[in-house]
Amino acid sequence: MENKELPINVAMEYAKNDYVKSINEITAKYNLPMCLVESIIGSIFFEIKNISRQELENNIKNLEKEGEANENN
């Protein structure tokens, strides 16, 4: 596609495929058994959940600040 924003469902599918491809390449590169891959991915997921929560909190704070700014105008 040329400079058009992908629909979110298409972007999600492409991203998922890229993640799986990367995981498979890393797994092969380090010759890891799936039990270790599962543990590593679980750890990564935990980090992502924390970042996601922080992002949500920041977004809510920003929306509240914007609401306060709009009320003062």
Side-chain angles (χ1 to χ4, degrees), residues 14-33:
Y14 287 173
K16 182 188 81 168
N17 290 339
D18 287 347
Y19 279 119
V20 170
K21 180 181 174 190
S22 294
I23 289 167
N24 288 335
E25 289 172 358
I26 292 166
T27 300
K29 177 179 178 180
Y30 294 101
N31 195 28
L32 297 173

